[in-house]
Amino acid sequence: MSVLSLRYAHAFASVATSANLDAAAAEQQLADFSGTLAGSHDLREVLMNPSIANEQKLKVLDAIAARIGMFPQVRNFIAVIMHHQRLDELNEILSEYHLVADEQAHVAEAEITSARPLNEQDRAELEAQVVKLAGGRVRTTYYEDATLLGGAVVRLGSTVYDGSIRAQLQQLKQKLVNA
């Protein structure tokens, strides 16, 4: 990730916070615009072409903003990115903004890997424990890995909590070898 993408992300986060925007809605609007841009070769040709006047590009952007229902701050942010010819970095900026917005909202990312699919009750119980570990809200992503044999592995930031049967067997093996 580039330093410029991070700067743009922080700048937009600052604007979103000062305007009391719903961070998730603003992020979704940026993602919707990014998807629209990625899906249309003609749109990219118009908005990324330096020979087309900025006023024309802004008219196109305004039409898209009206159709998507963008916050004015989101529209203005995209206009700034477009003016500085950084639309090709929009996905990178959006990824950085996602991280910055989560940090500001005190939302932690958690990855839970289990040996088998978890039912809703197991997920709810496990997420409740992860929330306690994180000390706040958590966005959880689930994975499966049959080699765990049972239990689960939770990655919360850079910390890994390994409650898998595989890890327990490894610990038992180490104790027996060292005994």
Side-chain angles (χ1 to χ4, degrees):
M1 299 283 170
S2 77
V3 172
L4 283 175
S5 294
L6 185 58
R7 284 185 184 168
Y8 279 108
H10 277 284
F12 182 68
S14 177
V15 167
T17 300
S18 66
N20 292 323
L21 295 183
D22 178 348
E27 185 175 344
Q28 185 59 53
Q29 290 174 10
L30 284 169
D32 289 346
F33 177 80
S34 179
T36 301
L37 185 66
S40 174
H41 175 73
D42 293 338
L43 182 60
R44 285 190 310 276
E45 280 292 316
V46 170
L47 296 183
M48 297 172 123
N49 188 337
S51 67
I52 295 177
N54 204 40
E55 294 78 27
Q56 298 290 25
K57 293 177 184 181
L58 289 175
K59 287 179 184 177
V60 171
L61 176 59
D62 288 339
I64 295 168
R67 180 168 283 167
I68 293 176
M70 271 185 207
F71 294 135
Q73 295 85 351
V74 172
R75 179 258 181 221
N76 293 343
F77 179 68
I78 292 170
V80 168
I81 292 171
M82 187 172 62
H83 179 74
H84 291 283
Q85 299 178 353
R86 300 268 183 222
L87 278 177
D88 57 333
E89 297 174 35
L90 182 58
N91 285 333
E92 190 174 320
I93 294 167
L94 186 56
S95 294
E96 291 286 355
Y97 174 69
H98 176 76
L99 297 173
V100 170
D102 279 355
E103 185 179 310
Q104 287 181 342
H106 304 290
V107 175
E109 290 281 339
E111 294 178 359
I112 298 176
T113 306
S114 61
R116 59 177 175 72
L118 299 175
N119 62 39
E120 288 303 314
Q121 181 181 353
D122 290 341
R123 283 183 178 212
E125 290 173 7
L126 195 50
E127 285 181 24
Q129 294 300 316
V130 172
V131 165
K132 287 179 186 174
L133 289 171
R137 296 185 312 174
V138 176
R139 182 177 302 111
T140 310
T141 307
Y142 287 92
Y143 300 99
E144 291 178 37
D145 180 358
T147 65
L148 295 179
L149 303 175
V153 176
V154 176
R155 179 181 304 272
L156 188 59
S158 62
T159 305
V160 176
Y161 301 93
D162 194 341
S164 68
I165 291 177
R166 179 180 66 192
Q168 293 171 14
L169 290 173
Q170 288 289 349
Q171 290 173 351
L172 183 59
K173 178 182 173 183
Q174 283 298 326
K175 286 181 183 177
L176 291 173
V177 169
N178 293 335

